[in-house]
Amino acid sequence: MKRISLVVLLLLISASIAWGQKQRVKNQPYADLKLYHLGFHVGLHTQDLLLTNSGVTSDGQVWFAEIPTYTPGFSVGVIGDMYLNPYFSLRVLPTLNFGDRKVIFRKQHSENEAEDVSVSLRSNYMSLPLQIKYAALRLNNYRPYITGGVYAAMDLGRKKGTELMLKGMDYGVEIGFGCDIYLPYFKLCPELRFSFGLADVLEKDRSDLSDPDMQKYTNALSKATTRMITLSFNFE
């Protein structure tokens, strides 16, 4: 009886595995073989700044800066994809990123007393990522993938005369992962992407300031680099 039960169990396991691997009808079976295809993407992101405090003091004042919370932003753009081979493709994704960063400057009076100044940095970034996409083998109507590449970005919404200002240009590297979901008429691709800025975007030349005392916020920092996490939905 035990042997019969073991044989039945093995047969059930084998049948379940075979059922799970059963080929289903594929939507758009030749979609990935096109030399070029276009699409668009929308998503949400959070922008961050990696701040390096300089420890500069002015008139006995010591200021430190940090970003305590993250504010969600909105991203929209287009997708251009060029087929290289069954696993790799070259992609370009011009994107507009609308977001905000809130920097808190803290003036330390004593161990138990501090003064906070909040600075809001609104940004409208036009970015141009260039990526290589590696896609795994397609399983029915699903195909996971990873991406990696570089990007350049330009801030279209800089405002002069604020306590803190960032440079208009930035560049960096990106890495992401997602999954192609093949629907009857298009591909839906949820993707999580991480962007790491390599340039120092802190604007140290503040000749635009009418009040020289506001220079202390820039002097409190020695470097600032960008970071961003994006959850996007690609339609291809």
Side-chain angles (χ1 to χ4, degrees), residues 30-196:
Y30 306 109
D32 296 328
L33 299 180
K34 297 177 182 178
L35 182 58
Y36 301 100
H37 74 261
L38 301 175
F40 70 94
H41 66 93
V42 295
L44 299 174
H45 70 262
T46 58
Q47 299 182 18
D48 190 16
L49 279 175
L50 186 61
L51 301 174
T52 303
N53 290 282
S54 64
V56 171
T57 62
S58 176
D59 299 329
Q61 301 178 4
V62 180
W63 291 87
F64 296 96
E66 62 178 353
I67 299 181
T69 59
Y70 300 106
T71 305
F74 178 72
S75 301
V76 61
V78 297
I79 302 170
D81 186 285
M82 184 177 72
Y83 174 88
L84 298 178
N85 62 42
Y87 297 99
F88 289 93
S89 62
L90 180 65
R91 294 161 68 84
V92 60
L93 299 92
T95 305
L96 273 173
N97 300 298
F98 305 94
D100 188 14
R101 305 179 183 96
K102 186 176 181 181
V103 182
I104 300 295
F105 284 91
R106 182 166 288 110
K107 178 183 177 182
Q108 195 71 39
H109 296 284
S110 64
E111 293 184 0
N112 300 319
E113 184 181 0
E115 175 185 344
D116 292 348
V117 175
S118 177
V119 178
S120 181
L121 296 175
R122 294 189 177 274
S123 59
N124 301 322
Y125 273 102
M126 177 67 182
S127 65
L128 185 63
L130 182 64
Q131 301 176 349
I132 291 291
K133 175 181 177 180
Y134 169 75
L137 289 173
R138 176 174 175 175
L139 177 62
N140 296 319
N141 287 314
Y142 303 94
R143 193 178 190 189
Y145 66 84
I146 60 174
T147 62
V150 297
Y151 72 90
M154 179 171 57
D155 191 351
L156 305 177
R158 287 203 312 162
K159 289 186 177 180
K160 296 183 178 181
T162 58
E163 294 90 344
L164 191 66
M165 189 167 68
L166 303 181
K167 295 178 180 178
M169 298 297 297
D170 189 21
Y171 61 88
V173 296
E174 292 185 330
I175 186 171
F177 58 90
C179 183
D180 291 335
I181 303 174
Y182 297 81
L183 301 177
Y185 300 106
F186 62 91
K187 287 194 302 180
L188 173 62
C189 318
E191 180 179 320
L192 186 63
R193 185 166 67 251
F194 302 88
S195 305
F196 305 91

